[in-house]
């Protein structure tokens, strides 16, 4: 009887191969902190789509009455890229199909969305809270944007090309917290910001009443 002994290097190779095979299947992880929920779909070591959702109600802010409800006669405007416009179109299709009004793009919210995506990308983190502990609602108030209800959905993908608008919409709609932001009847305006580099694509959507 022949007995074959494996070297330590061969054993490590087989262990690594087994781990890669296991991680090839989709793994869904989620955690909730206050009103923040993040979900990650890991397709392999090199492929990942993640989404994060956050909401806030600012009862203490005395916003002007005209900003508390969406006025379709004075709809906001925003300069969106083709990708950002596609995200907005998909979100509005879902809302209208479910009897809700379409969201109007707002330049101020879009600027904030792009700033958030850029910060997440440049400092390589994925959270509703910056390393300094601030969030999008702080940024909105600093920018003079008044709101009584607001929300933020985040998404990122590695590599960038798997993060299509359709893939992100699917991920958001399959998460109750993210879907709740999209389907929130109080929201009437939205900002969409997509930033990417050769390794990662990040999309931020900011909603408000």
């Amino acid at each position: 009887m022949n007995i074959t002994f494996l070297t330590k290097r061969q054993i490590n190779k087989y262990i690594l191969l087994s781990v890669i095979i296991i991680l090839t299947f989709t793994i869904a992880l989620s955690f909730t902190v206050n009103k923040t929920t993040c979900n990650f779909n890991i397709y392999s070591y090199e492929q990942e789509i993640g989404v994060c959702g956050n909401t806030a109600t600012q009862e203490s802010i005395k916003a002007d009455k005209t900003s508390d409800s969406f006025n379709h006669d004075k709809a906001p405007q925003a300069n969106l890229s083709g990708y950002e416009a596609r995200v907005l179109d998909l979100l509005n299709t879902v809302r209208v199909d479910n009897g809700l009004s379409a969201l109007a793009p707002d330049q101020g919210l879009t600027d904030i969305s792009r700033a958030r995506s850029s910060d997440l990308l440049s400092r390589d983190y994925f959270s509703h809270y910056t390393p300094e502990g601030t969030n999008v609602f702080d940024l909105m108030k600093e920018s003079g944007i008044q709101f009584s209800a607001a929300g933020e959905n985040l998404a990122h993908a590695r590599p960038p090309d798997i993060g299509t608008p359709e893939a992100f919409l699917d991920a958001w709609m399959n998460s109750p917290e993210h879907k709740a932001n999209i389907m929130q009847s109080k929201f009437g305006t939205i900002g969409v910001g997509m930033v990417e580099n050769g390794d990662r694509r990040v999309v931020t959507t900011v909603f408000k009443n």
Side-chain angles (χ1 to χ4, degrees):
M1 180 175 61
N2 295 325
I3 299 176
T4 302
F5 293 95
L6 297 177
T7 66
K8 184 176 180 180
R9 183 174 182 179
Q10 288 173 316
I11 292 173
N12 289 337
K13 179 180 179 181
Y14 286 120
I15 291 175
L16 178 60
L17 180 61
S18 299
V19 171
I20 291 174
I21 292 173
I22 292 172
L23 287 178
T24 300
F25 296 95
T26 300
I27 303 172
L29 305 175
S30 66
F31 59 89
T32 303
V33 179
N34 295 326
K35 293 184 179 179
T36 301
T37 299
C38 298
N39 301 292
F40 300 88
N41 292 320
I42 304 171
Y43 300 100
S44 72
Y45 275 131
E46 298 178 350
Q47 290 191 338
E48 173 186 318
I49 288 181
V51 294
C52 242
N54 202 9
T55 59
T57 300
Q58 298 291 333
E59 299 295 346
S60 61
I61 294 179
K62 302 300 182 182
D64 185 276
K65 290 297 181 181
T66 58
S67 67
D68 280 341
S69 59
F70 178 54
N71 187 339
H72 289 275
D73 294 329
K74 296 181 180 180
Q77 299 293 324
N79 181 20
L80 301 179
S81 69
Y83 182 101
E84 293 164 346
R86 177 59 179 163
V87 171
L88 176 60
D89 180 62
L90 290 172
L91 294 175
N92 278 337
T93 297
V94 170
R95 284 177 61 91
V96 172
D97 286 348
N98 285 274
L100 298 171
S101 62
L103 298 167
D106 178 83
Q107 190 61 52
L109 294 181
T110 293
D111 291 342
I112 287 176
S113 296
R114 289 170 178 164
R116 287 280 292 134
S117 292
S118 180
D119 191 54
L120 291 165
L121 189 68
S122 63
R123 296 204 282 175
D124 196 24
Y125 71 100
F126 190 57
S127 170
H128 289 291
Y129 292 89
T130 68
E132 294 76 30
T134 60
N135 59 35
V136 68
F137 310 121
D138 298 317
L139 187 57
M140 290 169 71
K141 286 183 281 188
E142 290 173 4
S143 300
I145 296 177
Q146 295 182 315
F147 61 94
S148 59
E152 177 185 63
N153 280 355
L154 304 175
H156 79 162
R158 289 188 174 97
D161 59 2
I162 69 172
T164 63
E166 292 78 8
F168 286 154
L169 177 69
D170 184 63
W172 283 328
M173 293 300 291
N174 279 289
S175 167
E177 291 77 11
H178 302 89
K179 182 178 179 180
N181 273 345
I182 294 170
M183 305 298 289
Q184 176 54 257
S185 60
K186 293 181 180 179
F187 296 155
T189 57
I190 187 175
V192 184
M194 187 276 281
V195 179
E196 65 182 346
N197 57 22
D199 177 63
R200 183 181 176 214
R201 174 175 291 166
V202 181
V203 174
T204 300
T205 55
V206 179
F207 310 83
K208 71 177 286 291
N209 58 299

Short mmCIF file of all heavy atoms in Angstrom, two decimals, residues 162-196:
data_model
loop_
_atom_site.label_atom_id
_atom_site.label_comp_id
_atom_site.label_asym_id
_atom_site.label_seq_id
_atom_site.Cartn_x
_atom_site.Cartn_y
_atom_site.Cartn_z
N ILE A 162 -19.70 45.80 -12.28
CA ILE A 162 -20.85 44.99 -11.85
C ILE A 162 -21.89 45.84 -11.12
O ILE A 162 -23.00 45.39 -10.87
CB ILE A 162 -20.43 43.80 -10.95
CG1 ILE A 162 -19.92 44.28 -9.59
CG2 ILE A 162 -19.40 42.94 -11.65
CD1 ILE A 162 -19.68 43.14 -8.61
N GLY A 163 -21.52 47.09 -10.81
CA GLY A 163 -22.44 47.99 -10.13
C GLY A 163 -23.30 48.76 -11.10
O GLY A 163 -23.22 49.99 -11.20
N THR A 164 -24.15 48.06 -11.83
CA THR A 164 -25.06 48.72 -12.77
C THR A 164 -26.22 49.33 -12.00
O THR A 164 -26.52 48.93 -10.86
CB THR A 164 -25.61 47.72 -13.79
OG1 THR A 164 -26.39 46.73 -13.08
CG2 THR A 164 -24.49 47.03 -14.55
N PRO A 165 -26.91 50.31 -12.57
CA PRO A 165 -28.10 50.85 -11.90
C PRO A 165 -29.10 49.76 -11.57
O PRO A 165 -29.73 49.78 -10.50
CB PRO A 165 -28.65 51.84 -12.93
CG PRO A 165 -27.45 52.31 -13.69
CD PRO A 165 -26.58 51.07 -13.81
N GLU A 166 -29.26 48.80 -12.48
CA GLU A 166 -30.20 47.71 -12.26
C GLU A 166 -29.78 46.82 -11.09
O GLU A 166 -30.62 46.39 -10.28
CB GLU A 166 -30.35 46.87 -13.53
CG GLU A 166 -31.03 47.57 -14.69
CD GLU A 166 -30.13 48.54 -15.44
OE1 GLU A 166 -28.90 48.58 -15.17
OE2 GLU A 166 -30.63 49.27 -16.31
N ALA A 167 -28.48 46.56 -10.98
CA ALA A 167 -27.98 45.72 -9.88
C ALA A 167 -28.18 46.40 -8.54
O ALA A 167 -28.58 45.77 -7.55
CB ALA A 167 -26.50 45.39 -10.10
N PHE A 168 -27.91 47.70 -8.48
CA PHE A 168 -28.09 48.43 -7.23
C PHE A 168 -29.57 48.54 -6.86
O PHE A 168 -29.94 48.42 -5.69
CB PHE A 168 -27.47 49.82 -7.34
CG PHE A 168 -25.96 49.82 -7.28
CD1 PHE A 168 -25.23 50.83 -7.88
CD2 PHE A 168 -25.28 48.82 -6.62
CE1 PHE A 168 -23.84 50.84 -7.83
CE2 PHE A 168 -23.89 48.82 -6.55
CZ PHE A 168 -23.17 49.83 -7.16
N LEU A 169 -30.43 48.78 -7.84
CA LEU A 169 -31.87 48.84 -7.55
C LEU A 169 -32.34 47.52 -6.99
O LEU A 169 -33.10 47.48 -6.01
CB LEU A 169 -32.66 49.19 -8.81
CG LEU A 169 -34.18 49.19 -8.61
CD1 LEU A 169 -34.61 50.35 -7.73
CD2 LEU A 169 -34.92 49.23 -9.95
N ASP A 170 -31.90 46.43 -7.58
CA ASP A 170 -32.29 45.10 -7.11
C ASP A 170 -31.84 44.88 -5.66
O ASP A 170 -32.59 44.35 -4.84
CB ASP A 170 -31.68 44.03 -8.02
CG ASP A 170 -32.13 42.63 -7.64
OD1 ASP A 170 -33.33 42.35 -7.74
OD2 ASP A 170 -31.26 41.82 -7.25
N ALA A 171 -30.62 45.31 -5.36
CA ALA A 171 -30.10 45.15 -3.99
C ALA A 171 -30.89 46.00 -3.01
O ALA A 171 -31.23 45.54 -1.91
CB ALA A 171 -28.62 45.53 -3.95
N TRP A 172 -31.19 47.23 -3.38
CA TRP A 172 -31.97 48.11 -2.50
C TRP A 172 -33.37 47.56 -2.27
O TRP A 172 -33.86 47.53 -1.14
CB TRP A 172 -32.07 49.51 -3.10
CG TRP A 172 -30.85 50.35 -2.97
CD1 TRP A 172 -29.94 50.33 -1.94
CD2 TRP A 172 -30.38 51.35 -3.88
NE1 TRP A 172 -28.95 51.26 -2.16
CE2 TRP A 172 -29.19 51.90 -3.34
CE3 TRP A 172 -30.86 51.84 -5.10
CZ2 TRP A 172 -28.48 52.92 -3.98
CZ3 TRP A 172 -30.15 52.85 -5.74
CH2 TRP A 172 -28.97 53.39 -5.18
N MET A 173 -34.02 47.10 -3.34
CA MET A 173 -35.40 46.64 -3.22
C MET A 173 -35.51 45.33 -2.47
O MET A 173 -36.58 44.97 -1.98
CB MET A 173 -36.03 46.52 -4.61
CG MET A 173 -36.23 47.84 -5.33
SD MET A 173 -37.31 48.99 -4.42
CE MET A 173 -38.89 48.16 -4.56
N ASN A 174 -34.42 44.59 -2.36
CA ASN A 174 -34.43 43.35 -1.61
C ASN A 174 -34.04 43.54 -0.15
O ASN A 174 -33.88 42.57 0.59
CB ASN A 174 -33.49 42.32 -2.26
CG ASN A 174 -34.15 41.63 -3.44
OD1 ASN A 174 -35.06 40.82 -3.27
ND2 ASN A 174 -33.72 41.97 -4.65
N SER A 175 -33.88 44.79 0.26
CA SER A 175 -33.62 45.13 1.66
C SER A 175 -34.78 45.99 2.17
O SER A 175 -35.04 47.06 1.62
CB SER A 175 -32.30 45.90 1.79
OG SER A 175 -32.20 46.49 3.07
N PRO A 176 -35.50 45.56 3.19
CA PRO A 176 -36.67 46.31 3.67
C PRO A 176 -36.37 47.77 4.00
O PRO A 176 -37.17 48.66 3.68
CB PRO A 176 -37.09 45.53 4.92
CG PRO A 176 -36.62 44.14 4.68
CD PRO A 176 -35.32 44.29 3.94
N GLU A 177 -35.23 48.03 4.64
CA GLU A 177 -34.91 49.40 5.04
C GLU A 177 -34.63 50.29 3.83
O GLU A 177 -35.05 51.45 3.79
CB GLU A 177 -33.71 49.41 5.99
CG GLU A 177 -33.99 48.81 7.35
CD GLU A 177 -34.03 47.29 7.35
OE1 GLU A 177 -33.61 46.69 6.32
OE2 GLU A 177 -34.46 46.71 8.35
N HIS A 178 -33.91 49.76 2.84
CA HIS A 178 -33.61 50.55 1.65
C HIS A 178 -34.87 50.76 0.82
O HIS A 178 -35.12 51.84 0.28
CB HIS A 178 -32.54 49.87 0.82
CG HIS A 178 -31.27 49.63 1.57
ND1 HIS A 178 -31.04 48.49 2.30
CD2 HIS A 178 -30.17 50.40 1.73
CE1 HIS A 178 -29.84 48.57 2.86
NE2 HIS A 178 -29.30 49.73 2.54
N LYS A 179 -35.67 49.71 0.73
CA LYS A 179 -36.93 49.80 -0.01
C LYS A 179 -37.84 50.84 0.63
O LYS A 179 -38.54 51.57 -0.08
CB LYS A 179 -37.62 48.44 -0.03
CG LYS A 179 -38.92 48.41 -0.83
CD LYS A 179 -39.52 47.02 -0.84
CE LYS A 179 -40.84 47.00 -1.61
NZ LYS A 179 -41.43 45.63 -1.63
N ALA A 180 -37.83 50.90 1.96
CA ALA A 180 -38.68 51.87 2.67
C ALA A 180 -38.31 53.31 2.28
O ALA A 180 -39.20 54.16 2.14
CB ALA A 180 -38.54 51.68 4.17
N ASN A 181 -37.03 53.59 2.11
CA ASN A 181 -36.62 54.92 1.65
C ASN A 181 -37.15 55.21 0.24
O ASN A 181 -37.67 56.28 -0.05
CB ASN A 181 -35.11 55.06 1.66
CG ASN A 181 -34.55 55.50 3.00
OD1 ASN A 181 -35.29 55.98 3.86
ND2 ASN A 181 -33.26 55.35 3.18
N ILE A 182 -37.01 54.23 -0.63
CA ILE A 182 -37.44 54.40 -2.02
C ILE A 182 -38.95 54.59 -2.10
O ILE A 182 -39.45 55.39 -2.90
CB ILE A 182 -37.01 53.19 -2.86
CG1 ILE A 182 -35.48 53.14 -2.96
CG2 ILE A 182 -37.63 53.23 -4.26
CD1 ILE A 182 -34.94 51.85 -3.57
N MET A 183 -39.69 53.89 -1.25
CA MET A 183 -41.15 53.92 -1.30
C MET A 183 -41.77 54.90 -0.31
O MET A 183 -42.99 54.89 -0.11
CB MET A 183 -41.69 52.51 -1.03
CG MET A 183 -41.13 51.43 -1.95
SD MET A 183 -41.54 51.73 -3.68
CE MET A 183 -43.29 51.37 -3.65
N GLN A 184 -40.97 55.74 0.30
CA GLN A 184 -41.48 56.68 1.29
C GLN A 184 -42.31 57.78 0.60
O GLN A 184 -41.80 58.55 -0.20
CB GLN A 184 -40.32 57.30 2.06
CG GLN A 184 -40.70 58.37 3.06
CD GLN A 184 -41.73 57.94 4.07
OE1 GLN A 184 -42.90 58.30 3.96
NE2 GLN A 184 -41.29 57.15 5.04
N SER A 185 -43.59 57.86 0.96
CA SER A 185 -44.47 58.83 0.32
C SER A 185 -44.15 60.26 0.71
O SER A 185 -44.51 61.21 0.01
CB SER A 185 -45.94 58.52 0.67
OG SER A 185 -46.15 58.58 2.08
N LYS A 186 -43.47 60.46 1.85
CA LYS A 186 -43.11 61.81 2.30
C LYS A 186 -42.03 62.43 1.43
O LYS A 186 -41.90 63.65 1.38
CB LYS A 186 -42.62 61.78 3.74
CG LYS A 186 -43.68 61.43 4.77
CD LYS A 186 -43.08 61.44 6.17
CE LYS A 186 -44.11 61.09 7.22
NZ LYS A 186 -43.52 61.09 8.59
N PHE A 187 -41.23 61.61 0.77
CA PHE A 187 -40.12 62.12 -0.01
C PHE A 187 -40.61 62.62 -1.37
O PHE A 187 -41.38 61.94 -2.06
CB PHE A 187 -39.05 61.07 -0.21
CG PHE A 187 -38.36 60.63 1.07
CD1 PHE A 187 -37.77 59.38 1.16
CD2 PHE A 187 -38.32 61.46 2.17
CE1 PHE A 187 -37.14 58.98 2.33
CE2 PHE A 187 -37.70 61.07 3.35
CZ PHE A 187 -37.11 59.83 3.43
N GLY A 188 -40.14 63.80 -1.77
CA GLY A 188 -40.52 64.35 -3.06
C GLY A 188 -39.34 64.75 -3.93
O GLY A 188 -39.48 64.94 -5.13
N THR A 189 -38.16 64.90 -3.31
CA THR A 189 -36.96 65.28 -4.07
C THR A 189 -35.83 64.32 -3.76
O THR A 189 -35.81 63.65 -2.72
CB THR A 189 -36.52 66.72 -3.75
OG1 THR A 189 -36.30 66.84 -2.33
CG2 THR A 189 -37.57 67.72 -4.17
N ILE A 190 -34.85 64.27 -4.65
CA ILE A 190 -33.76 63.32 -4.53
C ILE A 190 -32.48 63.88 -5.14
O ILE A 190 -32.53 64.69 -6.08
CB ILE A 190 -34.12 61.98 -5.23
CG1 ILE A 190 -33.05 60.91 -4.97
CG2 ILE A 190 -34.34 62.19 -6.71
CD1 ILE A 190 -33.40 59.54 -5.52
N GLY A 191 -31.36 63.48 -4.61
CA GLY A 191 -30.07 63.72 -5.22
C GLY A 191 -29.42 62.39 -5.51
O GLY A 191 -29.55 61.44 -4.73
N VAL A 192 -28.76 62.27 -6.64
CA VAL A 192 -28.07 61.04 -7.03
C VAL A 192 -26.63 61.38 -7.38
O VAL A 192 -26.39 62.29 -8.19
CB VAL A 192 -28.75 60.35 -8.24
CG1 VAL A 192 -28.06 59.03 -8.56
CG2 VAL A 192 -30.24 60.15 -7.99
N GLY A 193 -25.68 60.67 -6.78
CA GLY A 193 -24.28 60.93 -7.06
C GLY A 193 -23.48 59.65 -7.23
O GLY A 193 -23.44 58.83 -6.33
N MET A 194 -22.87 59.48 -8.39
CA MET A 194 -22.03 58.31 -8.66
C MET A 194 -20.59 58.75 -8.89
O MET A 194 -20.32 59.67 -9.67
CB MET A 194 -22.53 57.54 -9.87
CG MET A 194 -21.79 56.20 -10.10
SD MET A 194 -20.24 56.35 -11.03
CE MET A 194 -20.85 56.47 -12.70
N VAL A 195 -19.66 58.11 -8.18
CA VAL A 195 -18.23 58.37 -8.35
C VAL A 195 -17.54 57.02 -8.42
O VAL A 195 -17.93 56.07 -7.70
CB VAL A 195 -17.66 59.20 -7.17
CG1 VAL A 195 -16.16 59.43 -7.36
CG2 VAL A 195 -18.39 60.54 -7.05
N GLU A 196 -16.53 56.89 -9.27
CA GLU A 196 -15.84 55.62 -9.40
C GLU A 196 -14.37 55.82 -9.72
O GLU A 196 -13.95 56.90 -10.15
CB GLU A 196 -16.49 54.76 -10.49
CG GLU A 196 -16.38 55.34 -11.88
CD GLU A 196 -17.07 54.48 -12.93
OE1 GLU A 196 -17.41 53.32 -12.63
OE2 GLU A 196 -17.27 54.97 -14.05
#
